[in-house]
Amino acid sequence: MNPVDRQFRYSVLLLAALFVIAGVCLPICAWIARMPLTSPFPFVENESLNRHLFGAIGLLCLGIGVG
């Protein structure tokens, strides 16, 4: 296998991994969008932590969209 084929294979594997992550995050974010903003994660009691988790998932989706 020459270097160009190897580089292509690695780039395709990375893209496939990003698609898998996005496929998992999309239903989670759709579920969260239906929840009230005060408690997007019902298993977390602290409202501040709820908002931080919600922001972290938003940044993750932004990174996947840009990447």
Side-chain angles (χ1 to χ4, degrees):
M1 181 181 307
N2 62 21
V4 174
D5 290 338
R6 188 176 305 125
Q7 195 173 24
F8 177 74
R9 176 180 282 182
Y10 289 142
S11 66
V12 168
L13 286 174
L14 179 63
L15 185 61
L18 287 175
F19 280 149
V20 168
I21 293 170
V24 171
C25 286
L26 186 64
I28 291 171
C29 289
W31 174 73
I32 288 173
R34 293 178 41 200
M35 301 290 290
L37 188 58
T38 56
S39 70
F41 302 102
F43 53 87
V44 178
E45 304 271 332
N46 190 354
E47 184 176 340
S48 176
L49 184 58
N50 268 327
R51 292 189 182 274
H52 282 96
L53 287 173
F54 192 71
I57 288 179
L59 289 174
L60 176 70
C61 289
L62 179 69
I64 291 172
V66 170

